Amino acid sequence: MQLLNEKPKSLLDIQMHYCPGCGHGIIHRLVAEAMDELNIREKTIGVAPVGCAVFADHYFNCDMIQGPHGRGPAIATGIKRSVPESVVFSYQGDGDLASIGMGEIVHAAARGEKLTVIFVNNAIYGMTGGQMAPTTLIGQKSTTTVDGRKPEINGFPIRMCEMLSTLDGVVYAERTTVHNVAGVVKSKNAIKKAFQNQIENKGFSIVEILSMCPTNWGTRLDNPSEATKYISDSMVKVFPPGVYKDISAK
Amino acid sequence: MYQGIRISGFGGQGVISAGVLLAYTGIIENKNVSFFPSYGAEMRGGTANCSVVIASDEVDTPIVSSPDTVIVLNEPSLAKFEPMVKPGGILIVNTSLIKTEPKRKDIKVIKVPCNEIADKLGNAKVMNMVALGVFAKATGALAIESIGKALPKVYKKLKPEVIELNIKALNEGAKLA
Amino acid sequence: MAEKQLMKGNEALSEGAVRAGCRFFAGYPITPQNEVPEYMSWRLPQVGGAFIQSESEVAAINVIYGAAATGVRSMTSSSSPGISLKQEGISYCAGADLPFLIANVMRGGPGLGNIAGAQGDYFQSTRGGGHGDYRLYVMAPNCVQEMFDFPKRCYETAYKYRIPSMILADGTLGQMMEGVEIKWPEIDVKTIEKPKWSLGINTERRERRMVGSYDLRDGMLEKMVLERVKRYKEIEEKEVLWEEKMTEDAEIILVAYGISSRVAFAGCKMAREKGIKAGLLRPITLWPFPKKRLAELAPKTKNFLAVEMSLGQMVEDVRLAVNGATNVNLFARPGGSPIFAEEVYKAIEDIVKKGAKEYATVK
């Protein structure tokens, strides 16, 4: 019998708490596969956020730290500058990275910290029960925008990859999705590249991954297949996937 | 012995460096010293001042509220610090820049044209040293030679000829005390 | 004895920390502590350390959270408003049992306040400061020599008990210059063993390590906190430091820390000259507070007088320790105003000669 696939060694064999149809589980696996394939598990230190992925420190089979909401890039900076030969990644959601932690992500990027940032954008606050996120789409319903997000009251969604790619410290910024197989493959390659850039000491890399939240996207979308459609029909129009910056070859 | 000093003038007149030099001189003479600068919003343009304490006993507070000696190098400093001088204390006035007459009768006032003397010596920058020379001689708190010894320790980049000039300025001041 | 060096308080603090093994600093400019980040920015690279000027105090403390998790001796410094911003991160560090050094060069408050020396952050420093049940090991230097010496003891205690440590100074101590004698050898960081809990390169194929401050399982957080409390109890027993002057026969004992303790002592000396038996107890650690010693002294003296540059904060710890056994009075000047010996003497005289009880002066 031939073994075709197995759980990555960089992922612990315990049950995750994520909801059915959530993208976090897929993204965790992709990060772990990238670590395995690059053979960096023994020197990788991960930073878990506050938000749905708060328990990420229980899932990855490498040294992990969990810190205050939004401060992942600052914590990662402290680790990386203390142990420069390590590989440090910060795993963050949209509230964590693009709202409360906007200062930390922008300045870590501006300093050109040699870090890998995995940014999971599902356009909603998941853990706290579906409030508006900085990336919530115009018209999207949440528990704090019950009639849908209105620009005149709630402002506009923030495009992080576009913004960060203007900073000289950023080497690589790509947006991908995990709502279909092609997206998953692209996400995996992007994550691997973001790690590779750090291994080669090139600078700051961020992969923004559009991800499903069937639980908090409202009843109409409360099933995984409807949720994937919301990404392909709506999210990609506001957050177009693609490579926003790549100067890693220079 | 206890000698509490306030030095005050425009930023750039060497107020802070004169204070640091006095404190270092105190260390050379094995005394307890403290130096405390004014800091913050008045760093440029306005009046800079500092407190120095030289004492044989422990220094209680570095902020000198009733100084034994006050050195004022510009007009606004006179108005601010003349009232603070301890009765029987000394007020050293730089008459090159201060035209107002001090009012106090219960203190000793020493008037010295610090800028003119420094100019005559060929370097306007040593005007603060002229004032320190006056201070050392008038109070007897520190020896002129000790200040001279402290100079290269505090200002490590000074060339020997500049140190010589500073010492000359100290001595010129001492003559006028 | 080598000749003393004339050093500014903030620079002595920085150099003392480096000699005590500090190899990582993150901070944000704020008066009156700017000399600390300035000094560290050139000094740490000389010894192979890292310096980061972060975008905010919030980021600074979290950079330290990451650095401290790798076991490197790390430090951040700020002044009152900046320390308030760091409280969330300090709470996480305490919850994750991470040792590091934080220096607060206090200024007048609340709010933006002013930039003069003050002692208004006593409650914040000694009660933990941020959210949750925790403490910091807090040392209060009262001269530039101690600014230089105390970082070493802070690191030793912090690493021994896995607790964040704080040096609580003020603008006066930070900005003043005094002679400093270098009395202890520089610590060779190569001799410091990597802590067993530190994150890093896993060459020995050990179990993976986790640093964090949470446990959502039933009753587990309480267990975690109670384990920490055991260490706190040990610190209270073994690590409390104070200094006494002329307390043996004192009819009034002044209690003061930091720069205020020097002025209070000058007030004591003035009182002794006038025949009033005054003495001083100076807490050197503010947490743990020398409460046992105060309780011992309480029956032997008629009065305590707390002298502080805040609106009556430390006096509460004195009252708790004395527990009603004798009078506890207060002389306080808030808002960044310095205290002078003459006014302390006046308070002593009012209390001892005029029999003022429950004397509380806020000048």
Side-chain angles (χ1 to χ4, degrees):
Chain A
M1 201 168 64
Q2 194 187 354
L3 184 66
L4 292 174
N5 212 340
E6 62 179 335
K7 196 160 189 137
K9 289 193 172 52
S10 297
L11 213 51
L12 287 158
D13 193 14
I14 52 174
Q15 193 184 334
M16 290 180 181
H17 71 288
Y18 297 114
C19 307
C22 168
H24 274 301
I26 302 167
I27 298 163
H28 277 27
R29 186 186 169 106
L30 299 180
V31 171
E33 281 179 3
M35 282 161 65
D36 278 7
E37 286 168 27
L38 295 164
N39 197 22
I40 52 171
R41 187 173 73 85
E42 307 291 331
K43 60 174 180 177
T44 298
I45 303 167
V47 184
V50 168
C52 281
V54 65
F55 299 120
D57 59 344
H58 284 78
Y59 303 149
F60 288 107
N61 187 14
C62 61
D63 280 9
M64 292 292 296
I65 183 169
Q66 193 286 325
H69 195 22
R71 317 303 171 208
I75 299 165
T77 297
I79 297 168
K80 183 70 181 180
R81 296 266 191 134
S82 300
V83 190
E85 62 277 26
S86 62
V87 174
V88 184
F89 75 92
S90 175
Y91 189 105
Q92 300 178 261
D94 40 50
D96 195 84
L97 182 139
S99 190
I100 196 167
M102 181 62 92
E104 283 73 15
I105 190 67
V106 168
H107 283 273
R111 287 192 301 266
E113 298 292 344
K114 294 173 180 68
L115 299 174
T116 302
V117 176
I118 311 298
F119 169 35
V120 180
N121 178 0
N122 60 10
I124 200 86
Y125 278 77
M127 190 193 222
T128 46
Q131 296 83 9
M132 183 187 73
T135 49
T136 294
L137 308 188
I138 299 299
Q140 186 185 338
K141 285 182 180 169
S142 76
T143 57
T144 49
T145 54
V146 288
D147 297 324
R149 182 174 187 165
K150 293 184 178 119
E152 63 275 22
I153 297 170
N154 313 111
F156 299 88
I158 298 172
R159 297 181 183 91
M160 288 307 298
C161 267
E162 287 87 331
M163 242 175 83
L164 291 174
S165 62
T166 67
L167 298 172
D168 294 344
V170 175
V171 159
Y172 174 56
E174 178 166 358
R175 183 182 293 126
T176 61
T177 78
V178 285
H179 77 288
N180 59 20
V181 174
V184 169
V185 171
K186 274 192 179 168
S187 297
K188 164 79 177 293
N189 290 338
I191 291 168
K192 210 169 158 182
K193 185 177 172 79
F195 273 124
Q196 189 66 42
N197 286 344
Q198 186 178 168
I199 294 164
E200 291 169 15
N201 225 17
K202 282 181 174 159
F204 184 93
S205 300
I206 181 167
V207 183
E208 174 177 347
I209 303 165
L210 305 183
S211 176
M212 300 71 70
C213 183
T215 302
N216 287 298
W217 277 355
T219 44
R220 185 176 61 83
L221 301 169
D222 193 6
N223 74 69
S225 79
E226 284 296 324
T228 57
K229 273 187 207 157
Y230 189 64
I231 293 191
S232 55
D233 295 350
S234 304
M235 275 188 86
V236 295
K237 288 175 187 157
V238 182
F239 302 110
V243 178
Y244 285 86
K245 187 170 188 184
D246 184 4
I247 53 166
S248 60
K250 282 184 191 168
Chain B
M1 62 83 69
Y2 175 95
Q3 177 72 226
I5 308 142
R6 286 300 274 261
I7 311 175
S8 181
F10 287 126
Q13 282 186 306
V15 168
I16 301 299
S17 49
V20 173
L21 187 61
L22 281 189
Y24 210 109
T25 309
I27 286 183
I28 287 180
E29 294 199 356
N30 267 325
K31 303 225 167 65
N32 290 304
V33 300
S34 74
F35 162 86
F36 186 69
S38 60
Y39 56 94
E42 56 194 352
M43 266 159 89
R44 292 282 183 276
T47 299
N49 78 80
C50 66
S51 293
V52 180
V53 178
I54 300 158
S56 42
D57 208 354
E58 285 170 41
V59 178
D60 58 355
T61 172
I63 303 163
V64 181
S65 55
S66 63
D68 301 280
T69 307
V70 166
I71 302 171
V72 286
L73 300 176
N74 70 351
E75 198 70 62
S77 300
L78 178 71
K80 187 172 176 186
F81 289 100
E82 185 189 353
M84 277 193 193
V85 185
K86 200 180 266 180
I90 297 171
L91 177 67
I92 299 168
V93 181
N94 175 22
T95 52
S96 304
L97 295 181
I98 302 171
K99 301 304 166 197
T100 309
E101 273 295 309
K103 295 176 200 74
R104 295 268 300 267
K105 301 294 171 211
D106 59 337
I107 56 172
K108 184 180 175 188
V109 176
I110 304 173
K111 296 179 187 173
V112 187
C114 299
N115 294 56
E116 273 99 323
I117 294 167
D119 286 342
K120 267 184 214 158
L121 289 170
N123 189 338
K125 281 186 188 166
V126 299
M127 58 90 65
N128 59 347
M129 292 296 132
V130 177
L132 288 193
V134 178
F135 163 82
K137 191 71 195 298
T139 62
L142 296 167
I144 297 270
E145 301 80 66
S146 307
I147 303 179
K149 273 186 213 160
L151 263 168
K153 295 199 172 187
V154 178
Y155 304 106
K156 295 187 174 77
K157 285 176 194 161
L158 282 191
K159 289 175 187 155
E161 58 268 28
V162 180
I163 288 174
E164 271 311 301
L165 185 69
N166 276 279
I167 291 171
K168 240 186 218 171
L170 284 167
N171 287 320
E172 283 301 310
K175 283 182 205 163
L176 300 168
Chain C
M1 186 188 84
E3 187 178 277
K4 285 183 179 176
Q5 295 184 27
L6 187 66
M7 290 177 103
K8 198 172 207 176
N10 283 335
E11 290 172 352
L13 170 69
S14 313
E15 181 60 27
V18 172
R19 282 172 181 260
C22 176
R23 289 297 178 271
F24 199 105
F25 182 95
Y28 185 84
I30 181 172
T31 309
Q33 63 84 55
N34 294 316
E35 293 82 1
V36 184
E38 285 169 2
Y39 192 94
M40 289 306 209
S41 72
W42 61 265
R43 184 67 174 98
L44 279 174
Q46 283 184 346
V47 291
F51 166 85
I52 292 194
Q53 179 172 330
S54 56
E55 62 273 25
S56 68
E57 284 91 348
V58 175
I61 188 65
N62 284 288
V63 170
I64 292 300
Y65 182 56
T70 71
V72 65
R73 288 196 175 185
S74 54
M75 175 183 181
T76 183
S77 71
S78 191
S79 180
S80 309
I83 298 290
S84 294
L85 278 167
K86 288 181 204 241
Q87 291 302 337
E88 181 204 38
I90 297 172
S91 170
Y92 274 70
C93 289
D97 299 309
L98 290 182
F100 69 100
L101 173 62
I102 178 165
N104 181 359
V105 184
M106 285 184 282
R107 56 188 253 178
L112 193 55
N114 62 20
I115 58 172
Q119 297 183 320
D121 305 347
Y122 181 89
F123 283 154
Q124 188 195 52
S125 314
T126 56
R127 268 63 180 167
H131 61 284
D133 281 323
Y134 73 95
R135 298 285 189 174
L136 308 175
Y137 181 70
V138 186
M139 293 191 83
N142 80 345
C143 58
V144 177
Q145 180 73 53
E146 290 184 349
M147 293 285 267
F148 179 83
D149 289 337
F150 282 7
K152 181 168 177 277
R153 180 143 196 148
C154 275
Y155 276 130
E156 285 164 358
T157 311
Y159 273 82
K160 185 173 173 194
Y161 298 97
R162 294 192 65 184
I163 179 175
S165 64
M166 174 180 267
I167 287 186
L168 190 65
D170 78 297
T172 324
L173 283 165
Q175 292 298 319
M176 68 192 280
M177 293 178 100
E178 285 185 315
V180 171
E181 195 189 328
I182 295 166
K183 290 181 265 191
W184 43 274
E186 184 167 350
I187 287 168
D188 179 2
V189 289
K190 285 189 224 93
T191 63
I192 303 173
E193 212 178 310
K194 271 261 167 197
K196 298 265 182 287
W197 44 261
S198 62
L199 307 182
I201 307 288
N202 187 0
T203 41
E204 69 270 35
R205 307 254 155 192
R206 55 164 167 76
E207 284 279 293
R208 82 196 189 95
R209 289 175 182 164
M210 282 164 75
V211 168
S213 58
Y214 77 98
D215 200 326
L216 303 187
R217 293 171 295 169
D218 263 356
M220 292 308 282
L221 185 66
E222 183 184 26
K223 228 176 134 182
M224 198 164 140
V225 174
L226 288 177
E227 183 279 321
R228 193 171 298 128
V229 168
K230 271 189 209 156
R231 281 179 278 140
Y232 289 170
K233 288 225 166 89
E234 201 182 335
I235 295 171
E236 286 192 283
E237 270 165 37
K238 294 180 184 166
E239 307 294 343
V240 58
L241 296 169
W242 73 93
E243 176 189 30
E244 283 177 46
K245 287 177 168 177
M246 310 189 297
T247 50
E248 309 79 31
D249 61 342
E251 56 193 309
I252 179 165
I253 295 175
L254 278 64
V255 185
Y257 72 94
I259 194 74
S260 300
S261 67
R262 295 166 60 153
V263 184
F265 184 57
C268 287
K269 284 191 285 187
M270 289 169 81
R272 288 267 168 180
E273 278 166 26
K274 299 272 168 69
I276 301 172
K277 289 176 186 158
L280 172 76
L281 185 143
R282 166 169 83 105
I284 294 173
T285 53
L286 301 183
W287 193 88
F289 196 72
K291 52 187 181 187
K292 268 190 199 156
R293 182 57 187 156
L294 279 166
E296 275 168 25
L297 288 169
K300 298 177 195 165
T301 190
K302 287 178 195 142
N303 281 293
F304 284 100
L305 173 61
V307 178
E308 52 183 301
M309 284 153 69
S310 48
L311 209 49
Q313 299 192 20
M314 183 200 63
V315 69
E316 293 199 2
D317 277 341
V318 179
R319 289 204 173 108
L320 282 170
V322 169
N323 200 15
T326 188
N327 296 319
V328 177
N329 308 281
L330 168 70
F331 180 85
R333 286 199 73 171
S337 293
I339 295 174
F340 293 104
E342 293 76 15
E343 51 195 24
V344 173
Y345 167 71
K346 176 77 171 40
I348 294 172
E349 193 186 37
D350 282 351
I351 294 161
V352 174
K353 291 215 167 147
K354 297 179 188 161
K357 284 185 183 167
E358 292 293 311
Y359 182 95
T361 299
V362 178
K363 203 195 165 203

